[in-house]
Amino acid sequence: MSAARTAVRRALLYVPGSSQKMLDKSRGLTADCVAYDLEDSVTINRKAEARSNIRNFLEQPRADGIKECAVRINAVGTGHEADDIEAVCNAPYLDTLVIPKVNSSSDLKWAADFINHKRTFTGPEESSPRQIKILALIESAKAISNLREICETAAQLDGLIFAAEDFALDLSLTRTPSLTEFLYARSAIATACRAHDLPSTIDLVCTSYKGEEGSRVMEEECFGGKGLGFNGKQCIHPDQVAIAQKAFAPSEDEVTWAARVVIADAKADEQGRGAWTLDGKMIDAPVVGKAKRLVSKAEACGFDVSAVKEKWKGQEPE
């Protein structure tokens, strides 16, 4: 019943809370994060039913393939948010709440305070309620203008998510295949996450998901987002999950390089060398730091890093 065991969210898949069939089917998935939805995919007349479905679902042990169970509530100010939080926040297998339409620090502060107030569940090995993490959806021009204060509002804030469709509506934009109309907003979100040391920066939904063309577009968008600094992507169909998780994971070549750097750096440190070379390129503290982060991420993504290190245990600093 522990909280989410990793901050790696290469894929965040939405599953409608009003569909018991889809809830049950999600138990067979392999995904970093599944967000059970109470918001956009649930009509007003089925909100109560969806809350009950999700609460009952999160009473059951998490599926082996799902690392993190999240719930997307309705936005602050809709009149549904309090009922949503009360319904699910003490479910034993809830890790994270996704808060939509966070426009300002006051929206996020209300949600964080209400979650903390209602949170009472303790597991068998816990002496106090564990903290539920928060992911904030950034969906408007106002939110982009307030990114700094949003990022500094709640201690349990664990990342930002870009909602392109609502952002396009707010700015009267037309989404194009190039996504250049979202470049400023996406860059601002990725930069804010890095500046405030938030683990997750999750990119826009890919609306193409059918067939080979859908897979191609999804892959292109993943690598485009990765190039802007995002480390995960929202998914609206299970077929998108594997594509996102592969794209946002380190490649085998990256893992090998990182392991070699870490091994050789330990030896260089014993020799009192602050800088050295590998494959003819200088390795110093910032490069070593990058390598160590890559190793940690690779482990969280399921790579057998110990086997790679064993293979390269003889690596020496040049």
Side-chain angles (χ1 to χ4, degrees):
M1 296 183 186
S2 62
R5 289 153 288 181
T6 174
V8 174
R9 300 181 180 98
R10 295 166 294 171
L12 184 151
L13 173 68
Y14 294 110
V15 173
S18 55
S19 172
Q20 189 62 52
K21 179 181 177 180
M22 290 186 180
L23 289 173
D24 293 339
K25 191 174 181 179
S26 75
R27 298 192 63 80
L29 297 173
T30 297
D32 286 346
C33 180
V34 177
Y36 299 100
D37 193 25
L38 290 169
E39 196 209 12
D40 285 349
S41 66
V42 180
T43 59
I44 291 177
N45 65 332
R46 299 192 70 185
K47 298 289 187 187
E49 175 189 356
R51 291 184 195 110
S52 178
N53 288 348
I54 292 174
R55 172 67 200 213
N56 291 336
F57 184 86
L58 293 175
E59 293 280 357
Q60 307 168 41
R62 76 174 76 244
D64 291 339
I66 298 175
K67 294 181 180 178
E68 179 179 31
C69 291
V71 172
R72 179 168 68 170
I73 67 168
N74 288 276
V76 175
T78 60
H80 301 293
E81 66 276 20
D83 289 339
D84 291 347
I85 293 173
E86 287 195 78
V88 303
C89 73
N90 287 302
Y93 291 95
L94 174 72
D95 300 307
T96 303
L97 284 172
V98 179
I99 314 298
K101 297 177 176 60
V102 174
N103 289 320
S104 65
S105 60
S106 60
D107 293 335
L108 191 58
K109 185 177 188 303
W110 183 92
D113 288 348
F114 195 75
I115 292 165
N116 294 335
H117 177 66
K118 294 295 179 179
R119 182 70 178 154
T120 60
F121 175 81
T122 56
E125 299 178 358
E126 297 167 335
S127 58
S128 60
R130 60 182 173 83
Q131 189 177 72
I132 294 298
K133 295 179 181 179
I134 291 175
L135 297 173
L137 273 157
I138 303 301
E139 312 191 28
S140 67
K142 184 175 181 181
I144 293 295
S145 298
N146 292 331
L147 279 176
R148 178 176 178 177
E149 66 176 57
I150 289 170
C151 289
E152 294 174 349
T153 298
Q156 64 264 50
L157 182 64
D158 216 48
L160 303 179
I161 307 172
F162 179 47
E165 301 308 317
D166 284 273
F167 184 80
L169 178 64
D170 188 43
L171 272 71
S172 298
L173 300 175
T174 299
R175 178 170 177 155
T176 65
S178 70
L179 303 178
T180 53
E181 60 276 3
F182 300 127
L183 180 59
Y184 172 74
R186 293 166 80 200
S187 295
I189 290 168
T191 301
C193 281
R194 294 298 183 276
H196 293 87
D197 199 27
L198 299 179
S200 290
T201 176
I202 302 174
D203 203 8
L204 44 70
V205 164
C206 176
T207 56
S208 298
Y209 60 87
K210 293 184 178 179
E212 292 183 4
E213 177 64 12
S215 296
R216 182 192 65 78
V217 174
M218 175 69 176
E219 186 175 51
E220 285 183 358
E221 286 192 14
C222 285
F223 285 115
K226 189 174 182 179
L228 289 174
F230 287 88
N231 54 27
K233 192 169 182 68
Q234 297 167 90
C235 300
I236 55 172
H237 192 279
D239 289 348
Q240 295 179 321
V241 172
I243 299 171
Q245 297 199 164
K246 181 179 179 180
F248 286 100
S251 68
E252 290 185 12
D253 288 345
E254 287 176 320
V255 176
T256 297
W257 171 84
R260 291 174 65 201
V261 169
V262 170
I263 291 166
D265 183 66
K267 297 176 182 179
D269 191 54
E270 291 176 356
Q271 299 167 13
R273 298 169 61 183
W276 44 280
T277 61
L278 180 69
D279 299 336
K281 296 181 180 180
M282 188 184 78
I283 307 295
D284 56 8
V287 178
V288 174
K290 176 183 177 181
K292 289 180 177 178
R293 288 193 298 273
L294 264 172
V295 167
S296 295
K297 184 171 185 179
E299 290 172 339
C301 291
F303 277 88
D304 188 355
V305 177
S306 59
V308 179
K309 287 183 175 179
E310 177 63 24
K311 179 180 178 180
W312 291 95
K313 62 184 180 181
Q315 180 68 57
E316 297 287 339
E318 299 168 5

